[in-house]
Amino acid sequence: MTTCAVCHRPLTSPSSIAAGVGPKCAKSTNSHHLSTLLQSQKATMQATLPKSLVGCYHCGHELSYYDAVTKQTRCVQCYYIWDTDEFMQDAEDPHLYRSSKTSEICLYCGSDDHGEGDDEVDRCSGCGKPWFPNQEETHYEVRR
């Protein structure tokens, strides 16, 4: 829920939400004071966001779990093999984090071996799924 930057009451009108201030506070508050207040709140929000974070290289999520069936640690969000990478904060949008990583392992089971299957399709030798490793540098974006 969005609240007024001056009085901290909930905002309901779309125009008030976009402005960040309620209609009564907008009329009664000096516009220069209000813009200074909103800029300081934005700067505080940006300062509290981390400049980088470490998470799943596929989706950026920070939690993993151990899958007893495949005996692999996997990402909680996308279920890929747990492999972490550092995501750097974008200079223009502080909520956007970017990363790039190169990997040549099976994205499902983690095997690095593959061969041609019966249907003339390259398949992972570990799980038999079609072979789709990240062979080129792939860029990932995560919003926080």
Side-chain angles (χ1 to χ4, degrees):
M1 176 170 57
T2 306
T3 58
C4 176
V6 178
C7 67
H8 304 292
R9 286 183 284 191
L11 298 175
T12 56
S13 161
S15 61
S16 297
I17 292 171
V21 65
K24 290 183 181 178
C25 293
K27 288 178 185 175
S28 65
T29 306
N30 181 340
S31 63
H32 175 69
H33 173 69
L34 180 60
S35 67
T36 304
L37 177 67
L38 291 174
Q39 286 176 354
S40 68
Q41 285 184 343
K42 184 178 179 182
T44 302
M45 178 195 71
Q46 289 179 357
T48 58
L49 289 170
K51 297 295 179 200
S52 68
L53 58 95
V54 176
C56 171
Y57 84 88
H58 183 254
C59 71
H61 197 62
E62 298 162 344
L63 298 175
S64 63
Y65 73 98
Y66 182 75
D67 185 349
V69 175
T70 61
K71 299 188 179 356
Q72 299 282 348
T73 302
R74 297 185 175 277
C75 176
V76 169
Q77 183 168 314
C78 67
Y79 309 113
Y80 280 82
I81 302 272
W82 185 247
D83 189 8
T84 60
D85 196 17
E86 184 176 15
F87 289 77
M88 302 302 292
Q89 190 177 45
D90 186 68
E92 295 176 10
D93 183 355
H95 290 282
L96 181 66
Y97 292 81
R98 298 177 188 273
S99 179
S100 62
K101 186 155 190 164
T102 302
S103 176
E104 293 196 15
I105 62 169
C106 174
L107 294 178
Y108 182 74
C109 74
S111 173
D112 61 356
D113 191 23
H114 67 284
E116 191 174 296
D118 296 337
D119 53 1
E120 298 181 2
V121 173
D122 275 358
R123 295 192 175 275
C124 173
S125 61
C127 64
K129 303 254 185 216
W131 182 250
F132 294 115
N134 287 335
Q135 295 176 341
E136 297 179 5
E137 189 171 292
T138 306
H139 298 277
Y140 297 97
E141 295 183 351
V142 177
R143 288 212 172 265
R144 292 276 175 228

